[in-house]
Amino acid sequence: ADISVGGWSIRRVSMFNRNADNYPSTDEAVMLQRFASDTTKKSSAVWLNRNGLRFYRYYQPIYMQEMCTTCHGKTEQMDPTVVERLQQLYPNDRAVGMSAGDLRGMFVVTAEWPAGEDQARKIVSGSSN
């Protein structure tokens, strides 16, 4: 949230979302499919032109680690108190049933250009606050 300013946006999206706001756009869903079909791909970036504005978009996949299965694993293998709490907090939860190595989702960084250039320089120099 601290970096999502000055023409920048950083999101985490997934087809298997816990929060409905994190559902991917059509473009993001296509990129998720690419990462799912090629697990050797570590990232991807594109330049977009929309409504007269230019954007740089960077995608980085999030793959499940063993520790992630504590909250995102197969419910029959999870701690019952965790399963109960997740059901209370997220009745429409789609973020369970996964295994280590599965594509959990991805980070999406979007920078409007040139409006985001100043923020980019701050991030690179370590003074984004």
Side-chain angles (χ1 to χ4, degrees):
D2 292 341
I3 297 174
S4 290
V5 297
W8 282 68
S9 165
I10 299 177
R11 299 183 45 198
R12 186 178 57 213
V13 299
S14 177
M15 299 298 284
F16 311 104
N17 53 338
R18 191 157 272 162
N19 177 341
D21 292 341
N22 295 339
Y23 197 77
S25 68
T26 302
D27 293 351
E28 293 164 345
V30 168
M31 191 57 65
L32 277 167
Q33 194 60 34
R34 287 184 188 161
F35 286 129
S37 64
D38 182 1
T39 58
T40 64
K41 196 168 187 58
K42 302 295 181 206
S43 65
S44 186
V46 296
W47 281 99
L48 304 169
N49 292 299
R50 297 225 169 109
N51 301 324
L53 298 174
R54 189 165 189 215
F55 296 89
Y56 177 77
R57 186 162 293 160
Y58 172 82
Y59 305 93
Q60 182 176 325
I62 304 167
Y63 292 102
M64 290 277 294
Q65 304 294 311
E66 190 60 43
M67 67 182 216
C68 304
T69 61
T70 301
C71 296
H72 297 286
K74 294 173 180 25
T75 54
E76 61 274 7
Q77 296 172 349
M78 291 168 54
D79 180 323
T81 57
V82 171
V83 173
E84 182 180 339
R85 186 67 175 149
L86 289 172
Q87 289 172 344
Q88 290 171 351
L89 294 172
Y90 308 101
N92 299 314
D93 189 8
R94 299 179 57 199
V96 292
M98 305 185 85
S99 301
D102 288 349
L103 178 65
R104 170 73 187 90
M106 72 180 171
F107 293 107
V108 181
V109 179
T110 304
E112 183 182 336
W113 218 257
E117 186 173 3
D118 286 341
Q119 182 67 0
R121 291 184 192 289
K122 289 177 186 175
I123 292 168
V124 170
S125 71
S127 61
S128 61
N129 295 337

